[in-house]
Amino acid sequence: MIETPSYADALRILGCKDARLVKVIGFASAAARTGWALAGAGQLATGLADMRNSIVLYGKDVVRRMPELKSGVDRFTRTQRLAAAHAVIVVSAYFEALGEAKLPFTLDKLDRGDKISHGVPTPERFARLVASLLLERLPTPEPHLPYAETRLAVERAYLRMSEAMAGYVGGLAVWDELTVDDQLLLPRMLAEGPPAHALRIYDEDYRSLALDSHEFGVRSLVTEKPPPATALSRVAWLLAEQAPPRVGDRPMIHLARMAANLLDRPLLLAGKLPEDVSLPLLGEGYLSPRFRVAELTRETAPALLNWWDDQRLLPDAEAFLVGHLTSLRATQAPLLVLGEPGSGKTKLTEVLAARLARSEFLPIRVELGSVAARADVTEQIDQAIAAVLGEEVQYAELVTAADGAMPVILLDGFDELVQGGVNRYDYLERVQEFQAREAELGRPVAVIVTSRTVVADRIRLPEGLLGLQLQPFDDDQVRQWLDIWDQANRALLARRDLKPLPAAAALVHGEMARQPLLLLLLALYDAGGNALQHDHGPLGRARLYEVLLRDYTERETGGVRRVAIDQELVLLGTVALSMLARGRQVITGEALARDLPALCHGGEDEPDDDEGRIDWVRKATERFFFVRRNGTRNGYAFLHATFGEFLVAWLAMYALRDLDRRRRLAGDEPLALVQAVDDDLLYAVTSHSCLAERGATVGFILELLDEVPSAVRARCVELLAGLLRRSLHERPRRHFTGFRPVRHTLARRLAAYSANLTLLIVCASEEPVRVSSILPGPDHLEEWSSLSHLWKGQLGQEGWTGLVTALSAHRVVEDGEEDVVLGGAETGGMGDVVVAVATGHTPRHRRLLDLLVRALGEGRFLPYRDRLAILEELVRTVAVRSPAMHRALGAMWAEDGADHAELRPLLQAMLADPADRTGTWEQLVKAGIPETALWEIQGLD
């Protein structure tokens, strides 16, 4: 929960000068700290009636002076004052209603009670009452909540106040003067009378605040659907209504603001734009998005798309963004924006920064893929500022120069940290700590973080975190965007007797037309020859990427043959493979200069003369598909990360086709039958990283294989199985040995190669694959077990987790013979356990697995000790260290009545391996086990 102001906080923020109110609240606060006797109660002359009058009068005064209170101050001070004003009207409305309520006594009569009432001093009772009424935190309007929900929270506060009043009266001498009927009815009278009347007064006062303060008005707009808009244009308009645009900033801030303004640039900043189309400008072609919103806790599941289906849809995203940035929550916790690849997360940060650039805010964009992944938040911001300004400027200096403008830090691409081999599971907590630290220094800051949805289950969610899920375009947005495309390209296309893509032809492609990036790619592809306007049925994403890449390359190179186009795609695929091997989405020119010739040129020496030498970096990155990145890793990135994921998949399939072609060319010659299959290219492509590290890559492989004939797929499965059986054997002579993006051990490369061979076998096969069919022989389960343990030990957390997710496995027993079936079965989140344990070939392991699967599958309740014993067996006998195990231990730790002492030895065993201790520690904490407990356990090691 976020921290909202109490009535006492509100008086302090607004600088209340009513001495009686200040004195009574000071008394209640002191009584809460030191006890009523030391709080100065003897000098307190104010009673409940006087306090009521002062509160009502002050409330009316605040509403009257609201324009004065919010003028001439900086952004955050105004936010605080607005929240304080709201707290004042909440309490004022209740006290006004309390004085007008029909009760069997008057407030004056309550103030004439004895000093000692029912054995408790009256001043002490009064102190408790004031604390309940004026020191408790109060609801505050938030942009993601409809007014009806805020009103309901206010009503609950009023009911709590009435309960406090009933308890206060019940302890006074006046209680004994009431009739029995009045005593019985008083709680009901207080619960039904003052709250209902107070809500009517609150409604009036809130409307007055909304008329005088656009911030409150904006929050009421969030529930209304706005007219169609582009580039968050209403954000600038709504902010301008609250305060005029800033002018006359110091040069450093002016430069930062100018750098944030990208609206006049093309919608995509690519390496080289197509010459026969015109990309709309960002300020014209970016459609204001739709969001779903939810408060995120450890019990929520933001990584699941279907979970978001039940969350609130925000009709007015722009009003929400303005309302959020002008709320207290913005400076207390980051706002997490989640979306699918191509949904427009980066463009959102660019456009929002541009809209904020001339307002009361100072936007600072940080491309997390371009800064040091392991650096703390402040260092990352400093690096981003240096890249923009071209000089070393500290964040604190920039904020000071901003002269009261509130910083908004836009951290774009958090998934690049999570998926880049650096485990930053606590990153959002570090961001929140940064916000708290800055607030203490008098520099409150709002932070917005973007990420792919899929990684949201691999991060720890801090308190008060609000999440947004970017929604796909609806039909109207598809039509609106294509109208913009039509205006930009109708004349250009008419020169070639072509027409812009109509909405009906785009919507045939279903979800692909509803993601902003994919809709743009559809329009670009159709601009080549109106291919989509001829009814060929919907394209898959992989097919769209391939035809777009081929079409663009063909136009750029003047219609070369397919072989030359394949060479261009191999070049691009090598760039993507180099990025994957390094765990990064940005690659330097120096790295490309080493990697590209090693794979694309076979590592052969280039001509000595300068004219004959190839500029590999320029050859690859001058294409439309690249953008230049600045930062600590100055280099190149794909236009979108999904291009890289597709190209890795395409390159793997190219190597597989090359393997099949070479085997067919060899024919049935006697010598060919005894020679090893030339898998050098496939080994070079698949031995550096597990292809499943990025789930989208496996999806692209499956799509590409769908277009391969069944006979070819069957041949490939046979060839891959033969390679898998020999994959761990030494192969002294290979080509492409110069392609080493990262220097891995031989064991690491063999693990990646064998894992990817297995993955390709399962992907290429049209039926589930039995381990006995690819590892024939009586010891097939032992061989499989050795492979799975090799993968787990060598692929790292990213590779192993990705493989387990992509490669389903389940154990079968037929005619007394055991086997493991790969593919075609869901493992219910236990895939990693099955891969590691289902291969057990001793009766003890089989019994253990049977008990585990039966208990989980049938949902049968097992006693705590029995479940603990099962987990202990899995940890100690087969060394299971899996996400499922971490979650199970966290759940057992949190159970009511859990015996933590019995869990400690098991946790100690989990942390025993120094090589994996850090990762295990992080996962256990994420699962809910307190770090203090782990520190204590670690001390026992």
Side-chain angles (χ1 to χ4, degrees), residues 407-485:
V408 178
I409 310 299
L410 302 155
L411 301 171
D412 183 34
F414 171 59
D415 51 288
E416 294 192 32
L417 298 186
V418 176
Q419 295 183 320
V422 180
N423 195 338
R424 297 300 300 267
Y425 76 100
D426 60 347
Y427 186 73
L428 296 182
E429 290 181 332
R430 298 292 169 260
V431 170
Q432 191 175 46
E433 291 171 3
F434 161 75
Q435 289 182 283
R437 189 166 59 250
E438 289 296 304
E440 290 176 0
L441 295 172
R443 301 191 298 251
V445 54
V447 181
I448 297 176
V449 183
T450 72
S451 175
R452 287 192 186 188
T453 305
V454 70
V455 305
D457 63 345
R458 296 161 61 185
I459 54 180
R460 204 155 66 193
L461 306 176
E463 293 291 329
L465 183 67
L466 202 62
L468 298 180
Q469 168 73 11
L470 276 166
Q471 295 297 291
F473 282 169
D474 58 21
D475 288 1
D476 290 339
Q477 286 179 302
V478 172
R479 296 187 184 94
Q480 181 188 356
W481 191 88
L482 288 174
D483 284 343
I484 296 168
W485 177 260

Side-chain angles (χ1 to χ4, degrees), residues 258-501:
M258 290 298 292
N261 194 350
L262 303 175
L263 297 181
D264 293 333
R265 298 183 184 182
L267 191 59
L268 289 179
L269 290 175
K272 186 176 181 181
L273 297 175
E275 296 178 356
D276 46 8
V277 296
S278 174
L279 290 180
L281 299 180
L282 183 61
E284 301 168 348
Y286 177 81
L287 296 192
S288 299
R290 299 183 309 142
F291 293 117
R292 291 191 183 273
V293 62
E295 294 192 38
L296 303 182
T297 66
R298 291 189 178 184
E299 288 69 43
T300 55
L304 302 177
L305 290 178
N306 57 5
W307 180 83
W308 285 100
D309 293 340
D310 298 326
Q311 307 310 311
R312 178 180 290 118
L313 181 66
L314 287 175
D316 192 340
E318 294 170 273
F320 167 81
L321 290 171
V322 172
H324 174 76
L325 291 175
T326 56
S327 71
L328 291 175
R329 186 188 291 267
T331 60
Q332 296 181 21
L335 175 68
L336 180 62
V337 179
L338 299 172
E340 293 300 284
S343 60
K345 301 181 293 297
T346 294
K347 294 303 171 188
L348 172 66
T349 64
E350 292 177 354
V351 173
L352 183 58
R355 292 306 186 190
L356 296 177
R358 290 183 58 80
S359 70
E360 301 173 284
F361 297 95
L362 173 64
I364 302 173
R365 284 191 68 246
V366 181
E367 295 179 351
L368 292 176
S370 298
V371 296
R374 298 183 184 275
D376 65 28
V377 177
T378 306
E379 291 173 344
Q380 291 176 333
I381 297 171
D382 287 343
Q383 291 167 13
I385 293 172
V388 170
L389 299 181
E391 60 178 308
E392 296 294 330
V393 178
Q394 299 296 313
Y395 168 73
E397 296 178 49
L398 196 66
V399 174
T400 301
D403 192 26
M406 193 173 86
V408 178
I409 310 299
L410 302 155
L411 301 171
D412 183 34
F414 171 59
D415 51 288
E416 294 192 32
L417 298 186
V418 176
Q419 295 183 320
V422 180
N423 195 338
R424 297 300 300 267
Y425 76 100
D426 60 347
Y427 186 73
L428 296 182
E429 290 181 332
R430 298 292 169 260
V431 170
Q432 191 175 46
E433 291 171 3
F434 161 75
Q435 289 182 283
R437 189 166 59 250
E438 289 296 304
E440 290 176 0
L441 295 172
R443 301 191 298 251
V445 54
V447 181
I448 297 176
V449 183
T450 72
S451 175
R452 287 192 186 188
T453 305
V454 70
V455 305
D457 63 345
R458 296 161 61 185
I459 54 180
R460 204 155 66 193
L461 306 176
E463 293 291 329
L465 183 67
L466 202 62
L468 298 180
Q469 168 73 11
L470 276 166
Q471 295 297 291
F473 282 169
D474 58 21
D475 288 1
D476 290 339
Q477 286 179 302
V478 172
R479 296 187 184 94
Q480 181 188 356
W481 191 88
L482 288 174
D483 284 343
I484 296 168
W485 177 260
D486 186 320
Q487 295 171 17
N489 287 282
R490 177 169 290 277
L492 285 172
L493 293 174
R495 297 174 188 173
R496 295 184 285 135
D497 295 325
L498 300 174
K499 297 179 181 179
L501 178 64

Side-chain angles (χ1 to χ4, degrees), residues 120 131 169 179 233 324 419 461 491 536 562 597 644 717 731 760 891 898:
V120 179
V169 174
T179 66
S233 56
H324 174 76
Q419 295 183 320
L461 306 176
H536 297 308
R562 178 184 177 90
V717 169
R731 177 82 179 275
L760 290 172

Side-chain angles (χ1 to χ4, degrees), residues 146 277 620 683 735 739 824 866 880 882 885-886:
V277 296
Y683 179 80
H735 292 89
F739 181 68
D866 289 350
V880 174
S882 66
M885 177 63 72
H886 301 138

Side-chain angles (χ1 to χ4, degrees), residues 7 244 255 390 397 427 449 459 513 570 596 749 752 776 834 861 923 929:
Y7 186 79
L255 182 58
E397 296 178 49
Y427 186 73
V449 183
I459 54 180
V570 168
L596 292 177
R749 293 194 65 178
V834 172
F861 177 78
Q923 292 301 317
I929 297 176

